[in-house]
Amino acid sequence: MRLNIGAGNKRIEGYTGVDAVARPAADIVANADAIPLPDASVDEIMAIHLFEHFYRWQCDDVLREWHRLLKVGGLLVLEMPDLMKTCRNVVEGARSGKHPDQLTMWSLYGDPRDKDQYMTHRWAWHPASLSALLAEHGFTGMQERPTQFHRAGRDFRDFRMEARKA
C-alpha cells in the first residue's frame, strides 16, 4: 500500500489518497496523525506540500504515526518549500523585484487565494532541519532528491526529502 497523505484534489495513480477533509482524491478521510490503518501496513508514504501545514509541536505526532504505519524499510517522501531558498528569494526580490509572491510569501504563509485554513503554512523547514527531525523519529538514509511536483517552485523554492523507516 502506498499513501498520498494530504491528497486534496490530486489523485495519483497507485496511491491511496488520505486527507483531513472529504476532497475528491481522499479515499480515506483522516487527520495525518491518526490514520485508521494497521501498524506496518504501508510500503510508502508521500506527503507533497503537507508537512509545512503543521505547527512544529504537531510534527512529532505526525511522524510517530507515519513511522507506525510504514513497514521496516518503508519509504517516506516529503516535498515542501525550502526555508533557505525562500529567504534568498525574499532578499533578492526586495533588491530586484524579480521574485513573485509564489516563490516568497506563499512559501512562508501558504497560498491565500482559496481562503482555506488548511492551506496556511505553520512552520518552515530546510533539508538539514528536516533530516535531524526525521532521524529523531527513527528514519534513516535521508536523501535530498530533485522535486517532482509544483512546477513553479521546483528549481527555486522547494526541496524533496526521502527517508526509510529503520
Side-chain angles (χ1 to χ4, degrees), residues 97-114:
K98 75 175 187 174
H99 290 297
D101 282 349
Q102 191 171 11
L103 297 179
T104 57
M105 302 310 281
W106 290 11
S107 180
L108 294 171
Y109 302 109
D111 182 348
R113 295 176 298 178
D114 293 333

Side-chain angles (χ1 to χ4, degrees), residues 113-152:
R113 295 176 298 178
D114 293 333
K115 299 178 183 176
D116 182 347
Q117 66 175 336
Y118 287 103
M119 297 309 292
T120 300
H121 292 183
R122 294 181 171 95
W123 198 256
W125 299 94
H126 55 84
S129 65
L130 183 61
S131 289
L133 183 66
L134 292 174
E136 288 176 25
H137 286 275
F139 291 93
T140 61
M142 279 63 84
Q143 295 277 324
E144 189 176 355
R145 304 270 191 217
T147 61
Q148 296 179 13
F149 297 90
H150 288 254
R151 183 176 40 111

